[in-house]
Short mmCIF file of all heavy atoms in Angstrom, two decimals:
data_model
loop_
_atom_site.label_atom_id
_atom_site.label_comp_id
_atom_site.label_asym_id
_atom_site.label_seq_id
_atom_site.Cartn_x
_atom_site.Cartn_y
_atom_site.Cartn_z
N SER A 80 39.71 66.56 -25.63
CA SER A 80 39.04 67.77 -25.20
C SER A 80 37.85 67.99 -26.22
O SER A 80 37.90 67.54 -27.37
CB SER A 80 39.89 68.96 -25.25
OG SER A 80 39.27 70.13 -24.86
N PHE A 81 36.85 68.71 -25.70
CA PHE A 81 35.82 69.25 -26.53
C PHE A 81 36.34 70.47 -27.31
O PHE A 81 35.61 70.95 -28.15
CB PHE A 81 34.50 69.56 -25.74
CG PHE A 81 33.65 68.29 -25.31
CD1 PHE A 81 34.03 67.62 -24.10
CD2 PHE A 81 32.74 67.82 -26.09
CE1 PHE A 81 33.31 66.53 -23.75
CE2 PHE A 81 31.96 66.68 -25.73
CZ PHE A 81 32.26 66.03 -24.50
N SER A 82 37.35 71.08 -26.86
CA SER A 82 37.94 72.20 -27.40
C SER A 82 39.01 71.88 -28.45
O SER A 82 40.08 71.41 -28.14
CB SER A 82 38.52 73.12 -26.34
OG SER A 82 39.29 74.13 -27.00
N ALA A 83 38.70 72.18 -29.68
CA ALA A 83 39.63 71.99 -30.77
C ALA A 83 40.94 72.86 -30.55
O ALA A 83 42.03 72.44 -30.89
CB ALA A 83 38.99 72.20 -32.15
N LEU A 84 40.66 74.08 -30.08
CA LEU A 84 41.86 74.99 -29.77
C LEU A 84 42.79 74.39 -28.79
O LEU A 84 43.99 74.50 -28.95
CB LEU A 84 41.26 76.38 -29.32
CG LEU A 84 40.43 77.17 -30.31
CD1 LEU A 84 39.83 78.38 -29.70
CD2 LEU A 84 41.27 77.48 -31.57
N SER A 85 42.32 73.79 -27.75
CA SER A 85 43.17 73.18 -26.80
C SER A 85 43.93 72.00 -27.35
O SER A 85 45.20 71.85 -27.12
CB SER A 85 42.29 72.60 -25.65
OG SER A 85 43.17 71.93 -24.67
N LEU A 86 43.33 71.23 -28.28
CA LEU A 86 43.93 70.12 -28.95
C LEU A 86 45.06 70.59 -29.87
O LEU A 86 46.14 70.07 -30.06
CB LEU A 86 43.01 69.22 -29.66
CG LEU A 86 42.05 68.40 -28.69
CD1 LEU A 86 41.10 67.62 -29.47
CD2 LEU A 86 42.85 67.64 -27.62
N GLU A 87 44.74 71.83 -30.57
CA GLU A 87 45.79 72.36 -31.49
C GLU A 87 46.92 72.76 -30.60
O GLU A 87 48.16 72.63 -31.05
CB GLU A 87 45.28 73.66 -32.07
CG GLU A 87 44.29 73.41 -33.27
CD GLU A 87 43.71 74.76 -33.75
OE1 GLU A 87 44.32 75.74 -33.72
OE2 GLU A 87 42.59 74.62 -34.37
N LYS A 88 46.79 73.29 -29.45
CA LYS A 88 47.88 73.71 -28.53
C LYS A 88 48.68 72.36 -28.13
O LYS A 88 49.97 72.41 -28.10
CB LYS A 88 47.31 74.42 -27.30
CG LYS A 88 48.39 75.09 -26.43
CD LYS A 88 47.72 75.90 -25.41
CE LYS A 88 48.72 76.85 -24.72
NZ LYS A 88 48.12 77.65 -23.74
N VAL A 89 47.97 71.35 -27.70
CA VAL A 89 48.71 70.08 -27.34
C VAL A 89 49.62 69.67 -28.62
O VAL A 89 50.68 69.32 -28.30
CB VAL A 89 47.69 69.02 -27.02
CG1 VAL A 89 48.30 67.67 -26.93
CG2 VAL A 89 46.94 69.29 -25.66
N ARG A 90 49.01 69.66 -29.74
CA ARG A 90 49.81 69.33 -30.91
C ARG A 90 51.10 70.09 -31.11
O ARG A 90 52.11 69.59 -31.43
CB ARG A 90 48.87 69.34 -32.23
CG ARG A 90 49.57 68.93 -33.43
CD ARG A 90 50.06 67.47 -33.50
NE ARG A 90 48.89 66.57 -33.65
CZ ARG A 90 48.92 65.37 -33.08
NH1 ARG A 90 49.87 64.96 -32.39
NH2 ARG A 90 47.88 64.63 -33.19
N ARG A 91 50.92 71.51 -30.84
CA ARG A 91 52.17 72.30 -31.01
C ARG A 91 53.13 71.97 -29.93
O ARG A 91 54.40 71.89 -30.11
CB ARG A 91 51.74 73.85 -30.84
CG ARG A 91 51.13 74.39 -32.10
CD ARG A 91 51.02 75.90 -32.03
NE ARG A 91 50.43 76.44 -30.92
CZ ARG A 91 49.04 76.54 -30.71
NH1 ARG A 91 48.21 76.19 -31.68
NH2 ARG A 91 48.67 77.17 -29.65
N LEU A 92 52.68 71.75 -28.71
CA LEU A 92 53.59 71.44 -27.53
C LEU A 92 54.16 70.11 -27.60
O LEU A 92 55.36 69.95 -27.20
CB LEU A 92 52.84 71.71 -26.27
CG LEU A 92 52.30 73.03 -25.88
CD1 LEU A 92 51.35 73.04 -24.80
CD2 LEU A 92 53.53 73.95 -25.59
N GLU A 93 53.43 69.11 -28.04
CA GLU A 93 53.89 67.71 -28.11
C GLU A 93 53.53 67.14 -29.39
O GLU A 93 52.52 66.42 -29.54
CB GLU A 93 53.27 67.01 -26.93
CG GLU A 93 53.82 65.59 -26.58
CD GLU A 93 55.18 65.61 -26.12
OE1 GLU A 93 55.52 66.11 -25.03
OE2 GLU A 93 56.10 65.00 -26.93
N PRO A 94 54.26 67.41 -30.48
CA PRO A 94 53.92 66.99 -31.79
C PRO A 94 53.59 65.48 -31.92
O PRO A 94 52.73 65.02 -32.79
CB PRO A 94 55.07 67.37 -32.68
CG PRO A 94 55.73 68.44 -32.03
CD PRO A 94 55.46 68.16 -30.42
N GLY A 95 54.15 64.65 -31.15
CA GLY A 95 53.93 63.21 -31.24
C GLY A 95 52.77 62.67 -30.30
O GLY A 95 52.57 61.49 -30.40
N ALA A 96 52.00 63.59 -29.67
CA ALA A 96 51.02 63.18 -28.75
C ALA A 96 49.83 62.55 -29.61
O ALA A 96 49.54 63.04 -30.67
CB ALA A 96 50.54 64.42 -27.95
N ARG A 97 49.19 61.68 -28.95
CA ARG A 97 47.97 61.05 -29.41
C ARG A 97 46.81 61.93 -28.83
O ARG A 97 46.73 62.11 -27.67
CB ARG A 97 47.85 59.71 -28.99
CG ARG A 97 46.70 58.95 -29.76
CD ARG A 97 47.04 57.60 -30.30
NE ARG A 97 46.08 57.27 -31.27
CZ ARG A 97 46.32 57.00 -32.46
NH1 ARG A 97 47.66 57.00 -32.88
NH2 ARG A 97 45.41 56.68 -33.34
N ILE A 98 45.92 62.47 -29.77
CA ILE A 98 44.94 63.27 -29.26
C ILE A 98 43.56 62.91 -29.97
O ILE A 98 43.51 62.35 -31.05
CB ILE A 98 45.21 64.78 -29.52
CG1 ILE A 98 45.39 65.18 -31.06
CG2 ILE A 98 46.36 65.26 -28.80
CD1 ILE A 98 45.50 66.61 -31.28
N GLY A 99 42.50 63.09 -29.10
CA GLY A 99 41.12 62.71 -29.49
C GLY A 99 40.18 63.79 -29.40
O GLY A 99 40.15 64.48 -28.37
N MET A 100 39.48 63.99 -30.54
CA MET A 100 38.45 65.01 -30.53
C MET A 100 37.14 64.51 -29.96
O MET A 100 36.52 63.56 -30.37
CB MET A 100 38.14 65.43 -31.99
CG MET A 100 37.31 66.56 -32.23
SD MET A 100 38.05 68.24 -31.85
CE MET A 100 37.23 68.60 -30.22
N LEU A 101 36.69 65.18 -28.84
CA LEU A 101 35.50 64.83 -28.11
C LEU A 101 34.27 65.58 -28.52
O LEU A 101 34.46 66.76 -28.87
CB LEU A 101 35.60 65.13 -26.58
CG LEU A 101 36.21 64.16 -25.70
CD1 LEU A 101 36.61 64.73 -24.40
CD2 LEU A 101 35.24 62.98 -25.43
N ASP A 102 33.22 64.96 -28.76
CA ASP A 102 31.88 65.62 -28.95
C ASP A 102 30.81 64.58 -28.91
O ASP A 102 31.01 63.40 -28.74
CB ASP A 102 31.83 66.26 -30.34
CG ASP A 102 31.07 67.54 -30.23
OD1 ASP A 102 29.80 67.49 -30.00
OD2 ASP A 102 31.50 68.60 -30.62
N GLY A 103 29.52 65.06 -28.86
CA GLY A 103 28.40 64.04 -28.65
C GLY A 103 28.21 63.22 -29.90
O GLY A 103 27.84 62.06 -29.71
N LYS A 104 28.51 63.71 -31.02
CA LYS A 104 28.20 63.00 -32.31
C LYS A 104 29.46 62.77 -33.15
O LYS A 104 30.33 63.78 -33.09
CB LYS A 104 27.28 63.74 -33.21
CG LYS A 104 25.83 63.87 -32.68
CD LYS A 104 24.97 64.56 -33.57
CE LYS A 104 23.60 64.80 -33.05
NZ LYS A 104 22.73 65.63 -33.91
N ILE A 105 29.61 61.71 -33.79
CA ILE A 105 30.83 61.45 -34.56
C ILE A 105 30.96 62.45 -35.78
O ILE A 105 32.07 62.93 -36.04
CB ILE A 105 30.99 60.00 -35.10
CG1 ILE A 105 32.40 59.70 -35.40
CG2 ILE A 105 30.02 59.76 -36.26
CD1 ILE A 105 32.77 58.28 -35.40
N SER A 106 29.86 62.93 -36.27
CA SER A 106 29.85 63.97 -37.27
C SER A 106 30.31 65.26 -36.82
O SER A 106 31.09 65.99 -37.51
CB SER A 106 28.39 64.20 -37.87
OG SER A 106 27.50 64.66 -36.92
N ASP A 107 30.08 65.58 -35.51
CA ASP A 107 30.65 66.81 -34.94
C ASP A 107 32.12 66.65 -34.69
O ASP A 107 32.85 67.72 -34.82
CB ASP A 107 29.83 67.20 -33.69
CG ASP A 107 28.36 67.62 -33.95
OD1 ASP A 107 28.15 68.07 -35.10
OD2 ASP A 107 27.60 67.52 -33.08
N CYS A 108 32.55 65.46 -34.28
CA CYS A 108 33.98 65.30 -34.11
C CYS A 108 34.78 65.59 -35.53
O CYS A 108 35.75 66.17 -35.51
CB CYS A 108 34.21 63.87 -33.60
SG CYS A 108 33.68 63.49 -32.01
N LEU A 109 34.16 64.93 -36.54
CA LEU A 109 34.77 65.13 -37.84
C LEU A 109 34.74 66.63 -38.26
O LEU A 109 35.72 67.13 -38.92
CB LEU A 109 34.05 64.27 -38.82
CG LEU A 109 34.41 62.71 -38.75
CD1 LEU A 109 33.34 62.01 -39.60
CD2 LEU A 109 35.75 62.45 -39.13
#
Side-chain angles (χ1 to χ4, degrees):
S80 179
F81 284 89
S82 168
L84 294 175
S85 179
L86 295 179
E87 285 178 25
K88 192 172 190 180
V89 168
R90 180 64 73 216
R91 282 193 310 275
L92 294 168
E93 189 70 63
R97 186 131 201 125
I98 59 176
M100 187 74 253
L101 269 165
D102 214 301
K104 296 179 182 176
I105 200 155
S106 60
D107 291 336
C108 291
L109 288 168

